[in-house]
Amino acid sequence: MNEMRLQRFLARAGVASRRASEELITSGRVTVNGQVVRELGTRVDADKDAVAFDGRAVVLEASHVTIMLNKPCGYITTMKDERGRASVAELIPLDEYPALFPIGRLDKDTSGLLLFTDDGELGDKLLHPRHHIGKTYLATIQGMPTQEEIACLRTGIELDGRMTAPAECELLAKGRLSEVRIQIFEGRNRQVRRMFEAIGHPVVKLERVAIGGLSLGELERGTWRQLTADDFAALNI
Ligand code: URA
């Protein structure tokens, strides 16, 4: 079953925008299973119902949607929270694409690039370490790490009795607070924060700026956009 409102069906099939599709419906130019439908609340099943516009069949290609969100701090990565906490679900277009789910997660206090898709296969590919997709973070940390400490992050640190995989790590600015760019190739719980804690420099601010070759770019905090063909090329999967 692939049910949705008729105007959404038309918009997703590329007939017209949602608003313009509503006008097409009320003006009697759309039929469902051969009957003119003028009622805006009408629901159709994209897998079963025959929809036509001006007598021509309208078909919804089975395509997936993937979006990137620039997550602000303060939102948890879940689609539903029983305790009513602010969640990323509030920031993405679930009305339009109800099957979206997050690919991995960012902590409540981490901001930056978070992907959502309705394509399970893509989600698996991006998360599985076998595909070696790096995730790049900018971390603001307490104090000034030595080159030896940075080298430890690169070669591996023991977390929960297991070494972290080799990471790329660059010290960008030194001071009372320092800034480090780190790219990791796994997704263990609170991994970046725990790696910095382990070398004695706790994280005070963390932002994910890239996944593979896909960067956050100029996307404003709290907003989202759909991935383009160039974005998929940058992900290289
Ligand atoms: N590592 C962390 O510690 N937190 C995140 O949100 C992501 C990676």
Side-chain angles (χ1 to χ4, degrees):
M1 188 143 103
N2 189 7
E3 224 186 67
M4 66 191 80
R5 286 176 164 221
L6 184 53
Q7 56 267 43
R8 182 160 157 247
F9 176 94
L10 294 169
R12 281 186 59 181
V15 171
S17 69
R18 190 120 66 115
R19 180 66 57 81
S21 295
E22 290 179 356
E23 280 164 23
L24 296 177
I25 295 168
T26 50
S27 60
R29 296 171 67 185
V30 179
T31 57
V32 177
N33 302 325
Q35 303 290 315
V36 172
V37 168
R38 292 173 189 267
E39 191 57 50
L40 287 180
T42 304
R43 295 184 77 78
V44 290
D45 184 337
D47 296 334
K48 286 199 203 129
D49 293 319
V51 177
F53 159 58
D54 280 352
R56 275 193 301 271
V58 179
V59 185
L60 193 59
E61 300 291 338
S63 66
H64 288 295
V65 181
T66 303
I67 67 166
M68 61 155 81
L69 169 73
N70 185 343
K71 177 192 171 298
C73 289
Y75 289 80
I76 56 172
T77 306
T78 178
M79 298 311 281
K80 226 181 232 158
D81 185 55
E82 256 102 70
R83 291 198 265 152
R85 290 172 298 178
S87 94
V88 292
E90 297 164 33
L91 304 171
I92 59 167
L94 280 182
D95 278 355
E96 197 89 0
Y97 308 112
L100 287 174
F101 63 87
I103 304 178
R105 56 188 292 278
L106 289 177
D107 298 336
K108 182 174 174 223
D109 296 329
T110 303
S111 62
L113 178 54
L114 185 59
L115 294 177
F116 294 80
T117 189
D118 57 8
D119 179 355
E121 219 172 293
L122 176 72
D124 289 345
K125 274 192 193 156
L126 284 171
L127 290 176
H128 203 289
R130 174 162 46 96
H131 295 282
H132 209 67
I133 310 259
K135 285 147 198 128
T136 308
Y137 297 83
L138 284 183
T140 307
I141 59 171
Q142 277 178 23
M144 249 187 279
T146 62
Q147 280 309 325
E148 289 73 29
E149 287 166 337
I150 293 287
C152 282
L153 296 173
R154 288 194 186 114
T155 50
I157 294 232
E158 192 179 318
L159 296 180
D160 308 321
R162 201 157 51 87
M163 298 303 280
T164 57
E168 283 169 27
C169 193
E170 189 187 354
L171 183 56
L172 302 175
K174 287 203 278 189
R176 192 177 56 79
L177 296 176
S178 300
E179 199 171 35
V180 180
R181 179 172 27 238
I182 181 164
Q183 186 179 32
I184 59 171
F185 297 86
E186 321 163 274
R188 288 157 72 174
N189 190 31
R190 296 179 72 82
Q191 178 164 343
V192 173
R193 290 176 198 276
R194 290 196 294 149
M195 286 172 78
F196 281 103
E197 261 159 39
I199 61 161
H201 297 281
V203 167
V204 295
K205 190 169 152 217
L206 189 61
E207 179 185 20
R208 180 154 70 191
V209 292
I211 296 176
L214 176 63
S215 300
L216 198 49
E218 299 300 306
L219 186 65
E220 264 185 55
R221 195 82 83 212
T223 66
W224 61 271
R225 70 169 177 81
Q226 262 194 57
L227 260 56
T228 63
D230 284 350
D231 293 328
F232 281 105
L235 277 175
N236 195 24
I237 44 165

